[in-house]
Amino acid sequence: MPLTSKIITLKKAHHRGEDVVLLRFNYDVDLANRVKQLEGASWSQTMKSWYIPEQEPT
């Protein structure tokens, strides 16, 4: 089976009063399941994207 690349686009945004990072990608069940495992990950119906809280680099 050929390898296929999966592209996730990250974009800073402000959602529900918080700074967040949007994770946008073409529909992919496996990828969505992996994103769900990220701490704080949520789906935004209004933004049609997954998002996570923005964090300062350590």
Side-chain angles (χ1 to χ4, degrees):
M1 177 163 52
L3 294 176
T4 58
S5 58
K6 298 180 182 187
I7 298 171
I8 301 174
T9 302
L10 305 178
K11 181 179 178 184
K12 286 186 175 187
H14 196 73
H15 186 58
R16 295 187 175 195
E18 294 183 33
D19 290 327
V20 298
V21 177
L22 302 179
L23 295 95
R24 293 185 170 165
F25 51 90
N26 291 333
Y27 181 75
D28 182 295
V29 174
D30 181 51
L31 199 49
N33 286 333
R34 289 173 186 244
V35 169
K36 287 178 191 179
Q37 295 175 9
L38 296 175
E39 185 176 337
S42 297
W43 171 257
S44 169
Q45 186 64 38
T46 56
M47 300 185 102
K48 304 279 192 255
S49 298
W50 287 95
Y51 67 93
I52 56 174
E54 183 179 7
Q55 299 176 356
E56 293 294 322
T58 56

